Every structure is written in structure tokens, then in C-alpha cells.
């Protein structure tokens, strides 16, 4: 009898365990419909119960993944991951039958249509990722019902309209990724309730209005990215309370100017980028106390005064960008530490000598300054300097009527007979390079902070480029994470035709999620913005298709500048992290008529006032230096290389 009783007990327990492994029939039916709709039958074979123990799709690293909670009877599906599998179609209504879902990851696919309002029924959701898809319509206000959310991502989609104020109900939210999502309008005041927020990515959106002051109350903030929006300054002084910040990137602000006074006790900062923010005033000495700082970018602002000597205390600093400001005085003698990889102080009225440690830094750019580089000269530098300063002994002073550059590649001859010069030199994170024939130069500044492939400033492809007889001309390109400038030198004054050659060779245009990236940048010729939010892929009708844009420009001082500038727009991370910024394949400029200066109302009068040294590829590259100043005219145009490239205020 005892044995029989024990046997019955075991059988009962087995039946109980078996019963516990059965999934809610409604959820099973819904899951089967979802799997069939997204054609995932080969990856999840639901001939067995989806919550069965040891099911191949239940492991944490499985993709697709279905995971369950079987602590009650029946089991409920709590985790669903279908990540980067290029599933197509809309979000099926059956998804909302999985009412116990806590974690839903549909990121990096090509889902279209809108987010159904029924998503608000998934009230137990803690992690929701819909990023990198092709979802359209408005962001549903019903997301505000998911009050247990810890992380929400709908970045890199094609939404329209404002952020719903109901998102302010998500008081448990710690991570919010909405960059490149298409949302517009002001950031709702109701977002002031998101006190638990630690990470905010909101760059590349049509957000308007003032940078919210209440962000200064988010004391748990660790990461904030707000670049490439239409938000306006000033940066609130209340941001001084964000002492846990590790990564702060604000850029491209309009409106009132900002100061750096809010930088107080943010000593945990590792990355600080306040590029193109209309910053004014001086750089505070206390920045030298931010000993964790590895990346500092304050370029394209209106900062004045000296570079603080306290910067010698930035023992972890690897990248320092201070270019395009009004900084004066001398470089601190010991600003260059063994850890410093790149230093850009270009286009500032700085003087003095290069620090003795300059040779230890891989990339230095002091173009557009008066810094003395005597002792690091060669014949090429001296000759170029004579030419740029207008000396009579300049060999090619005003003698050239064209220049042609194969950006990022070796010399090539086009089908039409144009000889494009070699431009395959490795520039690095801050540098200037002068061509061997002294007819042009190129400078670059910026660092791809998160690129998993390392910092690359030349893009390449083996694919055939269509729409041209010169496919090889487009298989390499210069790329930059910030600012890329080409200069034609020793040109005869007159009117020129400028051909800019492009082909998108990094971003895909396939039907995969990899084809959802958008590259946007601005182009200036002689200080005039000729292309804004330029999208090569869109204009060419696809990737790996040649595109030529032709413009006219006047040369009145023997120098032409072509400037490619990233204004924070476009996706950041498709097909991989740090895929953004200007890209150009080739440049060809040729004179079409002489003496343009006589008919240009003398608006642009240039002179050269600086010396440049570029140190690249692990070796010291001595190069020319120049500083183009432009006389102010009655309409208020300022010298173009001193101004931050931005839209005029409205």
C-alpha cells in the first residue's frame, strides 16, 4: 500500500508539472499567427508547446526567443524577441493577446504601418524595443499606459507629429531612445515626471522650443544626446545638478547663446560634446578637474579667452577639439600629454609656439592660427607659406585655373581626361595635408567615438558604381564625423565651376533593415551654404550610384574653400555604430571666366595669418598654413571661416 501511495503521489506530481508547462491556449494561437505572418516557421516550430522546458527558443541568447513564466497554471509568454531578422509587414493585432509580455524586442527589422493603439493593453511591459524599422504614423498616446516600462526605444523610424504628453506617465522609465524617429514639436512639459531617466537619445529629430530646464532635475542622468534638432538655447544653469553624467552630447542649438557655467561637478563625464551650441564666454578652469574626461569637443562656438592651464590636469583626455572659436593667447605648454591622440585648435587667433611634446601626438591641427612652428619646417612648408601669404616668389601664385582631387583615393584619370590627384593620405582625427603639387590642401577634424571598426576616415567598396563611366572614381571617399575642408590654392581670380562627386558606398539600399540608414550633411563653397541636409542616396536614387552636383563660385584672393559639415542630422548607427557625417568622392574646379573679384562688390577680401602643422599617420607631416579672413560687408556677412556654420536666426 505504501508503494502504491508513493507511485500515485509521483504520478500526480508529474501531471502537475506537465500541466504547469502548458501555455495559455489563446497565447499559443496568437503566437502561431504571429510566426506565420512573419514567415518564421523555419525558426520556431510550434509542434511542441512554446513554453516547454528546454525548448530551443527559450535560451537567453536565442533569436527568435520565446520565454515564459510557468509559476502559475497555465504558463504565460513573457518574453518575445524577433531581432534583426528582416521581418516585414505591420504589427499584427494578435500580438496584443500576449497580455503578460514583459519584454518585447522587434528591433532592426523592416516593420511598416503604425503602432496600433492596442499596445496600451500590454500593461506589464518593462522593456519595449521597436527601433530601426519603417514604422509610420503618430506615436500612440496609449504607450503612456505602460507604466512599468523601464526601457522604451522607437528610434530610427518614420513617425510624424509630436511626442505624446502621456509618455510623462512612465515614471519608472530609465532609458528612452527616440533618435531619428521623425517626431517634431516641443518636448512635452509632462516629461518633467520622468525623474528616473538615466539615458536619453533624442538626436536628429524636428524637436523645437527651448532646451527644457526640468532636465536639470533628472539627477540620475548618465547619458544625454541632443544633436541635430531645432531646439534652442541657452543650456539651463540647472544642468549643474546632473552630477552623474558620463556622456553629454548637445549640438546645433539655435536661439540664445549659452555659457559653460553649468559645468560644475560633473566629474564623472567621459564624453563631453557641446559642438555648435552658440557657446560664449570663457572656458572655465574647473574643467581641468574632470579627470575622467576622454573626449572633449567645444568646436564651432564663440568662446573667447585663453585655453585654461588647468587642462594639464586632464590626465585621461584623448581627443580635444576647440576649433572655430575666438580663443586667444598661447597654447598651454603642457597641454599635450602622453594620452592625447588628437588636438584641434584650428581657426582661433592663437599665438606662441607649439608645445615641445607635439611630436608625441598622432594628430594636431593648428591651421588658421598664428602659432609659430619654426624649427619644424621644410622647403614644402616654406614655399606654401610664401604662396599663401602673397609673396612674390610664390611659384604658383595666381597661376592655376583648376584643381582636381580624388578624395580618399589614389590618382585617377577620368573618362573625360581629367587628372584627379592622389588624396589617399591617412588624416586621422585632426590634421591638415597639402598636396605634393601645392595646388590644394585638405583638413579634417572629428572622431567616430563608437565605431566598432575603429576610426576610419576613408570609405571603400568593391562594388560597381552605376550611372557613370568612371566607376573607380567613386569606390573610395573621404568621410568625416565633423568637419572636412578642401582648399584650392594659387588660383587665378575669377568665376569657377565646381563639380562635387558623390556616391553612397557605406549605407545599403536593400530591403533589409541595413537599408534604413540616412546620411545628411551640409556643404559650403566659399562660405555659402549650397547644400543643406544633403542626402546622397536619396538624390542619386540609391546606394552605389554616382551623383555630380555643379556650382559656380568666385575666387577673389587666389583661394577656394569647399567645406563639408555634419550638423547632427541623419541616423547614427545603421548599418553599424558611427555611420554618419560628410562623404565625398571627388572634387573638380575649373575657371570659366576671369576677374570675378571685380564684379563681386568686393565682399570677400582674404589674407593669410597663420601657420599649420599636421601630424598624421604616426609621423610629422609639415604643411602649409593659412587663415582666411573675410571683410564684413553692409549686409552683415562676417568672415566665413570664423563663423560656426548654421542657419541664420529667424
Amino acid at each position: 500500500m505504501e508503494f502504491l501511495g508513493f507511485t500515485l503521489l509521483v504520478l500526480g506530481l508529474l501531471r502537475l508539472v506537465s500541466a504547469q508547462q502548458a501555455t495559455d491556449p489563446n497565447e499559443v494561437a496568437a503566437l502561431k499567427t504571429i510566426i506565420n505572418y512573419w514567415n518564421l516557421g523555419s525558426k520556431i516550430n510550434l509542434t511542441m508547446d512554446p513554453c516547454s522546458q528546454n525548448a530551443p527558443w527559450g535560451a537567453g541568447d536565442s533569436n527568435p526567443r520565446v520565454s515564459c513564466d510557468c509559476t502559475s497554471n497555465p504558463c504565460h509568454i513573457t518574453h518575445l524577441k524577433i531581432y534583426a531578422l528582416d521581418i516585414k509587414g505591420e504589427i499584427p493585432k494578435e500580438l496584443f493577446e500576449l497580455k503578460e509580455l514583459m519584454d518585447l524586442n522587434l528591433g532592426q527589422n523592416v516593420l511598416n504601418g503604425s503602432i496600433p493603439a492596442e499596445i496600451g493593453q500590454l500593461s506589464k511591459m518593462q522593456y519595449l524595443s521597436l527601433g530601426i524599422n519603417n514604422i509610420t504614423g503618430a506615436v500612440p498616446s496609449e504607450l503612456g499606459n505602460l507604466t512599468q516600462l523601464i526601457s522604451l526605444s522607437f528610434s530610427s523610424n518614420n513617425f510624424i507629429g509630436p511626442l505624446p504628453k502621456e509618455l510623462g506617465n512612465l515614471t519608472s522609465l530609465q532609458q528612452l531612445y527616440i533618435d531619428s524617429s521623425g517626431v517634431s514639436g516641443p518636448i512635452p512639459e509632462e516629461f518633467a515626471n520622468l525623474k528616473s531617466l538615466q539615458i536619453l537619445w533624442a538626436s536628429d529629430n524636428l524637436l523645437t522650443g527651448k532646451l527644457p530646464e526640468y532636465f536639470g532635475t533628472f539627477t540620475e542622468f548618465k547619458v544625454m544626446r541632443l544633436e541635430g534638432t531645432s531646439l534652442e538655447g541657452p543650456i539651463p544653469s540647472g544642468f549643474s545638478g546632473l552630477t552623474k553624467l558620463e556622456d553629454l552630447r548637445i549640438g546645433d542649438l539655435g536661439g540664445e547663446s549659452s555659457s559653460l557655467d553649468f559645468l560644475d561637478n560633473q566629474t564623472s563625464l567621459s564624453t563631453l560634446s557641446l559642438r555648435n551650441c552658440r557657446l560664449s564666454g570663457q572656458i572655465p578652469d574647473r574643467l581641468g578637474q574632470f579627470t575622467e574626461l576622454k573626449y572633449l569637443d567645444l568646436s564651432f562656438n564663440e568662446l573667447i579667452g585663453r585655453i585654461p592651464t588647468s587642462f594639464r590636469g586632464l590626465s585621461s583626455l584623448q581627443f580635444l577639439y576647440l576649433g572655430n572659436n575666438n580663443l586667444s593667447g598661447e597654447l598651454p605648454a603642457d597641454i599635450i600629454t602622453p594620452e592625447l591622440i588628437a588636438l584641434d585648435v584650428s581657426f582661433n587667433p592663437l599665438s606662441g609656439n607649439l608645445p615641445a611634446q607635439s611630436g608625441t601626438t598622432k594628430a594636431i591641427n593648428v591651421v588658421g592660427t598664428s602659432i609659430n612652428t619654426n624649427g619644424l619646417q621644410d622647403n614644402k612648408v616654406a614655399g606654401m607659406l610664401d604662396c599663401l601669404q602673397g609673396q612674390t616668389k610664390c611659384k604658383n601664385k595666381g597661376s592655376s585655373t583648376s584643381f582636381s582631387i580624388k578624395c580618399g583615393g589614389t590618382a585617377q584619370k577620368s573618362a573625360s581626361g581629367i587628372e584627379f590627384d592622389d588624396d589617399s593620405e591617412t588624416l586621422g582625427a585632426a590634421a591638415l595635408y597639402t598636396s605634393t603639387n601645392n595646388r590644394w590642401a585638405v583638413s579634417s577634424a572629428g572622431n567616430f567615438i563608437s565605431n566598432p571598426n575603429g576610426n576610419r576616415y576613408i570609405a571603400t567598396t568593391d562594388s560597381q558604381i552605376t550611372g557613370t563611366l568612371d566607376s573607380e572614381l567613386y569606390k573610395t571617399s573621404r568621410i568625416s564625423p565633423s568637419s572636412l575642408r578642401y582648399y584650392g590654392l594659387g588660383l587665378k581670380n575669377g568665376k569657377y565651376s565646381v563639380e562635387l562627386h558623390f556616391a553612397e558606398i557605406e549605407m545599403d539600399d536593400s530591403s533589409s533593415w541595413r537599408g534604413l540608414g540616412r546620411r545628411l550633411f551640409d556643404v559650403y563653397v566659399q562660405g555659402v551654404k549650397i547644400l543643406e541636409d544633403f542626402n546622397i542616396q536619396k538624390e542619386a536614387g540609391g546606394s552605389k550610384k554616382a551623383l555630380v552636383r555643379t556650382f559656380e563660385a568666385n575666387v577673389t584672393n587666389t583661394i577656394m574653400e569647399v567645406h563639408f559639415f555634419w550638423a547632427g542630422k541623419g541616423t547614427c548607427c545603421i548599418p553599424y555604430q558611427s555611420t554618419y557625417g560628410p562623404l565625398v568622392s571627388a572634387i573638380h574646379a575649373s575657371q570659366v571666366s576671369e576677374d570675378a573679384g571685380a564684379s563681386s562688390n568686393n565682399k570677400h577680401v582674404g589674407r593669410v595669418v597663420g601657420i599649420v602643422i599636421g601630424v598624421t599617420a604616426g609621423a610629422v607631416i609639415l604643411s602649409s598654413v593659412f587663415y582666411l579672413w573675410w571683410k564684413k560687408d553692409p549686409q552683415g556677412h562676417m568672415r566665413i571661416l570664423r563663423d560656426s556654420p548654421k542657419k541664420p536666426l529667424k
Side-chain angles (χ1 to χ4, degrees):
M1 288 294 293
E2 290 181 358
F3 177 78
L4 178 60
F6 176 78
T7 302
L8 291 174
L9 177 61
V10 169
L11 290 174
L13 289 173
L14 288 174
R15 281 194 297 270
L16 178 60
V17 170
S18 177
Q20 287 177 337
Q21 297 303 313
T23 308
D24 184 304
N26 292 330
E27 295 183 25
V28 174
L31 184 61
K32 286 182 177 179
T33 301
I34 294 169
I35 296 303
N36 291 333
Y37 178 67
W38 283 333
N39 295 316
L40 295 172
S42 62
K43 299 182 181 296
I44 298 183
N45 182 359
L46 290 182
T47 55
M48 68 170 70
D49 190 279
C51 293
S52 298
Q53 289 186 355
N54 302 318
W57 49 77
D61 58 353
S62 298
N63 186 29
R65 183 190 181 211
V66 179
S67 182
C68 305
D69 179 5
C70 291
T71 56
S72 61
N73 190 5
C75 293
H76 292 288
I77 297 172
T78 55
H79 295 66
L80 178 61
K81 179 175 74 173
I82 305 174
Y83 174 76
L85 295 178
D86 286 333
I87 56 175
K88 297 178 175 62
E90 299 184 2
I91 298 175
K93 62 180 181 180
E94 287 77 10
L95 180 67
F96 308 113
E97 294 295 326
L98 308 181
K99 299 188 186 304
E100 302 295 317
L101 270 181
M102 300 170 59
D103 188 335
L104 175 62
N105 186 350
L106 302 178
Q108 295 186 205
N109 289 292
V110 282
L111 296 173
N112 57 26
S114 60
I115 300 177
E118 288 82 356
I119 198 165
Q121 299 174 9
L122 306 181
S123 58
K124 296 186 178 180
M125 190 74 69
Q126 296 181 16
Y127 300 89
L128 175 59
S129 177
L130 302 171
I132 309 185
N133 275 286
N134 197 23
I135 302 174
T136 56
V139 178
S141 60
E142 288 78 8
L143 285 173
N145 296 341
L146 310 184
T147 55
Q148 295 187 42
L149 271 178
I150 295 172
S151 178
L152 172 62
S153 170
F154 51 84
S155 59
S156 298
N157 277 285
N158 292 302
F159 294 103
I160 58 172
L163 289 164
K165 63 181 182 180
E166 288 80 4
L167 294 184
N169 298 334
L170 308 180
T171 55
S172 297
L173 199 65
Q174 298 177 16
Q175 303 175 4
L176 179 59
Y177 302 93
I178 58 174
D179 51 300
S180 302
S181 62
V183 295
S184 59
I187 299 175
E189 289 293 330
E190 288 78 5
F191 276 36
N193 299 322
L194 306 181
K195 304 291 187 183
S196 300
L197 207 59
Q198 298 178 15
I199 299 175
L200 172 65
W201 288 24
S203 299
D204 182 37
N205 283 308
L206 301 174
L207 299 173
T208 59
K210 295 278 189 178
L211 193 60
E213 291 192 17
Y214 59 75
F215 277 0
T217 66
F218 292 2
T219 55
E220 298 301 312
F221 250 147
K222 294 182 179 179
V223 178
M224 184 197 301
R225 297 192 187 182
L226 279 169
E227 299 174 301
T229 71
S230 295
L231 290 170
E232 297 183 349
I235 300 174
S237 59
F239 279 28
S240 60
L242 305 180
T243 58
K244 294 183 180 180
L245 277 174
E246 299 172 3
D247 186 337
L248 176 61
R249 306 183 204 182
I250 302 175
D252 316 290
L253 290 179
E256 301 176 29
S257 61
S258 299
S259 75
L260 293 172
D261 292 344
F262 75 93
L263 291 174
D264 193 4
N265 296 311
Q266 293 91 339
T267 54
S268 296
L269 275 170
S270 173
T271 297
L272 174 59
S273 178
L274 301 173
R275 176 178 171 272
N276 199 23
C277 283
R278 299 182 62 83
L279 294 176
S280 60
Q282 299 188 16
I283 301 175
D285 286 337
R286 59 182 175 275
L287 261 183
Q289 302 171 11
F290 291 18
T291 55
E292 300 297 316
L293 206 56
K294 296 181 179 179
Y295 183 96
L296 175 60
D297 188 348
L298 303 177
S299 61
F300 292 95
N301 285 297
E302 301 157 10
L303 295 169
I304 60 173
R306 294 176 174 267
I307 298 174
T309 56
S310 64
F311 273 23
R312 72 188 65 172
L314 296 175
S315 57
S316 299
L317 194 63
Q318 298 177 356
F319 300 93
L320 176 58
Y321 297 101
L322 301 174
N324 292 267
N325 279 288
N326 285 301
L327 299 172
S328 57
E330 299 184 3
L331 280 178
D334 47 4
I335 192 172
I336 297 177
T337 64
E339 290 77 19
L340 194 65
I341 296 172
L343 171 65
D344 175 31
V345 292
S346 60
F347 301 107
N348 281 287
L350 293 165
S351 58
N353 300 313
L354 275 176
Q357 310 96 320
S358 299
T360 65
T361 301
K362 296 179 181 178
I364 299 177
N365 190 357
V366 294
V367 62
T369 72
S370 296
I371 293 174
N372 182 9
T373 57
N374 287 337
L376 293 176
Q377 296 183 4
D378 61 13
N379 292 333
K380 178 181 173 184
V381 171
M384 177 65 71
L385 182 58
D386 286 341
C387 186
L388 291 171
Q389 290 180 331
Q391 301 295 324
T392 56
K393 60 182 177 180
C394 174
K395 293 181 180 179
N396 66 334
K397 181 181 183 299
S399 64
S400 177
T401 58
S402 68
F403 64 94
S404 305
I405 309 165
K406 172 61 205 91
C407 305
T410 56
Q412 293 181 31
K413 185 176 182 179
S414 72
S416 60
I418 298 173
E419 298 280 357
F420 287 87
D421 293 343
D422 181 286
D423 179 33
S424 59
E425 187 74 26
T426 301
L427 290 185
L432 176 98
Y433 170 73
T434 307
S435 67
T436 55
N437 59 15
N438 289 345
R439 294 176 64 179
W440 56 269
V442 56
S443 68
S444 180
N447 179 48
F448 291 107
I449 299 175
S450 306
N451 195 330
N453 300 316
N455 273 295
R456 300 180 302 110
Y457 298 90
I458 295 177
T460 62
T461 184
D462 294 327
S463 299
Q464 190 73 11
I465 307 300
T466 61
T468 179
L469 297 176
D470 296 305
S471 180
E472 294 299 318
L473 190 67
Y474 299 89
K475 289 187 175 182
T476 59
S477 298
R478 279 278 182 211
I479 53 176
S480 172
S482 178
S483 175
L484 176 66
R485 302 178 194 255
Y486 280 92
Y487 310 92
L489 308 173
L491 297 171
K492 285 186 177 181
N493 289 340
K495 181 178 291 184
Y496 281 74
S497 173
V498 183
E499 291 181 1
L500 305 180
H501 296 253
F502 305 98
E504 181 54 74
I505 59 175
E506 280 199 319
M507 291 187 174
D508 200 350
D509 61 354
S510 68
S511 58
S512 165
W513 66 266
R514 294 174 177 84
L516 298 175
R518 299 185 297 270
R519 181 193 304 277
L520 301 175
F521 59 94
D522 299 339
V523 182
Y524 297 75
V525 174
Q526 297 294 66
V528 177
K529 185 187 291 185
I530 58 172
L531 294 171
E532 182 175 13
D533 296 343
F534 182 57
N535 184 328
I536 301 170
Q537 186 181 54
K538 180 180 178 181
E539 296 296 324
S543 297
K544 301 178 178 65
K545 293 184 178 182
L547 176 68
V548 181
R549 287 285 181 263
T550 303
F551 306 92
E552 286 190 347
N554 290 334
V555 172
T556 61
N557 65 342
T558 76
I559 296 172
M560 179 186 294
E561 183 206 55
V562 183
H563 185 193
F564 304 90
F565 182 77
W566 180 62
K569 304 287 187 66
T571 53
C572 69
C573 312
I574 306 172
Y576 49 83
Q577 290 279 339
S578 294
T579 307
Y580 64 90
L583 177 151
V584 59
S585 303
I587 300 172
H588 171 62
S590 59
Q591 190 181 65
V592 294
S593 65
E594 295 184 2
D595 297 324
S599 61
S600 64
N601 297 322
N602 293 319
K603 289 184 180 180
H604 299 160
V605 179
R607 68 183 178 91
V608 177
V609 297
I611 278 187
V612 168
I613 173 173
V615 183
T616 61
V620 177
I621 298 177
L622 303 177
S623 29
S624 70
V625 286
F626 51 94
Y627 198 6
L628 302 179
W629 295 82
W630 300 86
K631 188 176 76 172
K632 184 175 180 180
D633 68 15
Q635 284 72 41
H637 296 291
M638 299 299 292
R639 53 202 184 195
I640 61 168
L641 293 186
R642 299 294 297 118
D643 284 345
S644 175
K646 57 171 63 73
K647 301 175 184 177
L649 297 180
K650 298 180 179 179

